[in-house]
C-alpha cells in the first residue's frame, strides 16, 4: 500500500466527482451571481442547486443555507451574529468545555465585551449533563452552542434531547450546533431536533478547503459579521465562491448516497480497528468512550510515550494520523479536550487520533494495526535505552 490516510477528521481527500464539478464551474460559470444578465443567472442557479444538495442532507430548504468560507466562519457567524442581534434581550451564553477553538475563541472575545459565558463540563466519556444544561438556562440566555461530534475524541452529544430541553425552558434561546464532524457521518435533523443554526465544513466531506455553510432556520435573526454588497440575503456579503460551492454541492450528493446506503460502514471499520487494537496492543487506552463515540474517530493513548514521536514513526511507514486535534496540533500544550475528560497527562501526551472516511478500506485498517504494533514496540525499545 502506497499510503494509509487515517487523518480524515483533519481533512479529507477531494473526490473525483467533486474535482469535476469544481473544474466545470471554473470553466463554464464565470458570471457574477449578482449580475442581472444570463451569465449571472446561470451562476446563481448553480448556487441554488448546491444549496438544494446541502439542504437535502439536512432535510431543510435551500434558502436556509448560507455559504461561508468554512467551518470557522460559520461558527463565528452563528455565535457573534446571535449574541449581537439579541444583546438587548440578554447577555448570557452557554457552551461546553470541549468545543473547537473556532467556538471557544469567539466566546473569549464575547466575554471581553462583557457577555457572561457558562461552560458546561463533560464526564469521562466527553458528554455534558442534560440536567446541568437545564439548570443553567435563564430568561436572559440568548444562545446555547454545543458541538455534535467532538473532533478529538468523537463523543456524540444527545442533540435531540438537548434541543428539547432548551426549547422547553426558554423557547427564545437560539440553539447552535457545530456539526462539522458529524455532517455526512450521522443523520442530522435540525428541524426535528430544535436546532436554529448548524455549521458544516466542506473539507471534512471530500470537498475543497475554504468552503462551508451555516444552516439558518427561517425567521432566526443574525447580525452579519461581514458587511458589503448584501449577497446571500444580507447574511453574508461578498461575491460567492461559486467553485467551492459547486464542490460542496457535489460532495453533499456523495454524502447523501453514502448515508443512505452505507451508514453502518464506518462503524464496521471502527469495530475492526478496536478489535485489532485489543489483540495486538493491549496496553493501548481508548480516550473518551467507544460506546458513545462517533463512527470515524478513535483517540488512542499509549502511556508514557510521545504522540508526536508515534506520528512521525508512522509517517515513515506511510501511515498518516494526528496527535490530539489537527486544528491545534501545532500547539504543544495538552489538549483542552483530553484535560476536560480527565485523561492522565502521561496518557494524553502519548495519544494519537485515528480517523476514517467512506474511502478507508478494511485492508487499510488491518495493515495499520500491524504497522502500529511494530512502531510502538520499536519506539518502546528505543525509549528504554
Ligand atoms: C468540530 C470542528 N469545528 C470547526 C472546525 C473548523 O472548520 P474549518 O477548518 O472549515 O474552518 C473544525 C475543523 O477541524 C472542527 O473539527
Amino acid at each position: 500500500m502506497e499510503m494509509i490516510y487515517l487523518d480524515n477528521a483533519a481533512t479529507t481527500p477531494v473526490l473525483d466527482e467533486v474535482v469535476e464539478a469544481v473544474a466545470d464551474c471554473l470553466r463554464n460559470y464565470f458570471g457574477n451571481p449578482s449580475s442581472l444578465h444570463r451569465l449571472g443567472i446561470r451562476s446563481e442557479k448553480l448556487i441554488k442547486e448546491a444549496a438544494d444538495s446541502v439542504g437535502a442532507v439536512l432535510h431543510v430548504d435551500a434558502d436556509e443555507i448560507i455559504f461561508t468560507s468554512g467551518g470557522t466562519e460559520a461558527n463565528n457567524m452563528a455565535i457573534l451574529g446571535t449574541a449581537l442581534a439579541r444583546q438587548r434581550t440578554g447577555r448570557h451564553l452557554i457552551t461546553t468545555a470541549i468545543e473547537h477553538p473556532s467556538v471557544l475563541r469567539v466566546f473569549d472575545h464575547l466575554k471581553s465585551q462583557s457577555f457572561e459565558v457558562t461552560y458546561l463540563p463533560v464526564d469521562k466519556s466527553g458528554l455534558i449533563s442534560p440536567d446541568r444544561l437545564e439548570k443553567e438556562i435563564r430568561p436572559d440566555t440568548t444562545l446555547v452552542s454545543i458541538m455534535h461530534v467532538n473532533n478529538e475524541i468523537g463523543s456524540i452529544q444527545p442533540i435531540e434531547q438537548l434541543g428539547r430541553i432548551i426549547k422547553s425552558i426558554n423557547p427564545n434561546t437560539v440553539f447552535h450546533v457545530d456539526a462539522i464532524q458529524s455532517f455526512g457521518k450521522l443523520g442530522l435533523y435540525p428541524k426535528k431536533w430544535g436546532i436554529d443554526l448548524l455549521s458544516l465544513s466542506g473539507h471534512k466531506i471530500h470537498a475543497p478547503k475554504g468552503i462551508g455553510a451555516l444552516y439558518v432556520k427561517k425567521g432566526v435573526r443574525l447580525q452579519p459579521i461581514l458587511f458589503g454588497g448584501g449577497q446571500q440575503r444580507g447574511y453574508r456579503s461578498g461575491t460567492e465562491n461559486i467553485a467551492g460551492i459547486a464542490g460542496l454541492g457535489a460532495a453533499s450528493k456523495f454524502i447523501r448516497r453514502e448515508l443512505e446506503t452505507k451508514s453502518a460502514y464506518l462503524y464496521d471499520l471502527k469495530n475492526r480497528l478496536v478489535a485489532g487494537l485489543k489483540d495486538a496492543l493491549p496496553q493501548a487506552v481508548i480516550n473518551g468512550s467507544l460506546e458513545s463515540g462517533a463512527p470515524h474517530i478513535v483517540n488512542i493513548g499509549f502511556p508514557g510515550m510521545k504522540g508526536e514521536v508515534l506520528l512521525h514513526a508512522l509517517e515513515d511507514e506511510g501511515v498518516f494520523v494526528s496527535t490530539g486535534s489537527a486544528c491545534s496540533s501545532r500547539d504543544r500544550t495538552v489538549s483542552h479536550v483530553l484535560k476536560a475528560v480527565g485523561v492522565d497527562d502521561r496518557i494524553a501526551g502519548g495519544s494519537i487520533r485515528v480517523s476514517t472516511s467512506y474511502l478507508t478500506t478494511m485492508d487499510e485498517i488491518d495493515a495499520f494495526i500491524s504497522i502500529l504494533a511494530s512502531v510502538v514496540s520499536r519506539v518502546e525499545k528505543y525509549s528504554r535505552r
Side-chain angles (χ1 to χ4, degrees):
M1 265 171 222
E2 219 170 87
M3 78 160 175
I4 302 177
Y5 184 74
L6 295 172
D7 199 12
N8 291 278
T11 198
T12 51
V14 179
L15 291 170
D16 285 346
E17 63 199 81
V18 173
V19 173
E20 294 304 321
V22 172
D24 177 53
C25 175
L26 289 170
R27 281 198 194 98
N28 302 313
Y29 292 79
F30 72 90
N32 185 323
S34 298
S35 294
L36 296 180
H37 50 66
R38 66 170 184 276
L39 295 182
I41 290 163
R42 251 166 69 76
S43 294
E44 196 189 7
K45 201 163 151 254
L46 193 79
I47 295 178
K48 163 78 171 60
E49 279 165 14
D52 272 335
S53 304
V54 175
V57 180
L58 297 174
H59 319 281
V60 304
D61 294 339
D63 63 2
E64 295 176 301
I65 300 296
I66 307 295
F67 292 105
T68 65
S69 66
T72 297
E73 187 190 325
N75 283 341
N76 273 255
M77 185 173 164
I79 298 164
L80 281 178
T82 303
L84 298 177
R86 314 271 328 278
Q87 57 186 320
R88 286 210 188 89
T89 313
R91 297 177 77 84
H92 178 235
L93 317 163
I94 299 177
T95 191
T96 81
I98 60 165
E99 298 296 312
H100 186 268
S102 61
V103 166
L104 289 178
R105 298 292 85 81
V106 186
F107 281 110
D108 287 349
H109 171 70
L110 286 167
K111 264 196 331 197
S112 78
Q113 305 296 307
S114 56
F115 281 84
E116 187 189 343
V117 182
T118 297
Y119 295 91
L120 301 170
V122 291
D123 63 16
K124 62 180 189 336
S125 301
L127 297 177
I128 65 157
S129 148
D131 290 344
R132 177 76 185 266
L133 170 64
E134 189 169 338
K135 288 197 187 91
E136 298 290 355
I137 300 169
R138 316 190 308 218
D140 64 338
T141 307
T142 53
L143 171 72
V144 175
S145 177
I146 295 177
M147 73 194 325
H148 191 193
V149 166
N150 179 269
N151 49 301
E152 296 190 39
I153 55 171
S155 52
I156 309 175
Q157 304 300 333
I159 294 296
E160 182 174 11
Q161 183 191 3
L162 303 179
R164 221 179 302 124
I165 290 172
I166 295 165
K167 296 297 171 185
S168 72
I169 298 189
N170 186 348
N172 296 321
T173 300
V174 171
F175 186 23
H176 166 242
V177 174
D178 173 348
I180 287 161
Q181 289 294 345
S182 61
F183 184 76
K185 314 295 186 321
L186 302 174
L188 281 166
Y189 302 90
K191 297 254 187 252
K192 264 206 256 164
W193 294 358
I195 298 173
D196 300 297
L197 302 166
L198 179 143
S199 309
L200 58 99
S201 174
H203 73 107
K204 312 291 183 182
I205 59 153
H206 310 284
K209 291 152 194 59
I211 183 71
L214 183 69
Y215 156 72
V216 182
K217 189 178 138 190
K218 271 189 201 94
V220 170
R221 269 193 308 129
L222 273 189
Q223 179 170 310
I225 58 169
L226 290 180
F227 298 90
Q231 287 89 343
Q232 302 200 69
R233 298 184 302 291
Y235 280 113
R236 203 264 184 188
S237 283
T239 302
E240 294 88 341
N241 167 12
I242 53 171
I245 291 172
L248 179 55
S252 297
K253 277 190 190 152
F254 165 79
I255 281 306
R256 189 154 173 238
R257 262 191 341 256
E258 296 302 287
L259 273 175
E260 267 169 20
T261 57
K262 272 171 81 174
S263 65
Y265 181 64
L266 296 175
Y267 282 107
D268 294 343
L269 288 173
K270 177 173 167 178
N271 292 339
R272 182 91 148 218
L273 172 65
V274 172
L277 277 175
K278 268 198 188 128
D279 267 2
L281 290 148
Q283 74 274 43
V285 182
I286 302 292
N287 297 319
S289 155
L290 279 178
E291 292 69 38
S292 57
H296 65 301
I297 298 177
V298 181
N299 195 311
I300 313 161
F302 295 93
M305 301 187 88
K306 281 211 162 29
E308 211 173 312
V309 171
L310 287 174
L311 177 149
H312 290 302
L314 285 167
E315 181 185 359
D316 289 344
E317 307 289 330
V319 175
F320 296 87
V321 298
S322 182
T323 63
S325 162
C327 292
S328 53
S329 61
R330 293 194 185 213
D331 176 358
R332 300 268 154 84
T333 52
V334 170
S335 132
H336 68 289
V337 176
L338 296 185
K339 252 195 198 147
V341 293
V343 173
D344 183 279
D345 279 0
R346 258 174 57 81
I347 299 175
S351 291
I352 56 170
R353 178 187 66 182
V354 175
S355 50
T356 59
S357 81
Y358 295 107
L359 309 184
T360 309
T361 64
M362 290 289 175
D363 286 348
E364 286 177 321
I365 295 294
D366 294 344
F368 167 65
I369 295 288
S370 70
I371 294 170
L372 181 64
S374 79
V375 160
V376 167
S377 87
R378 196 159 12 105
V379 173
E380 261 171 356
K381 255 187 236 145
Y382 181 77
S383 10
R384 261 192 244 114
R385 269 200 226 144

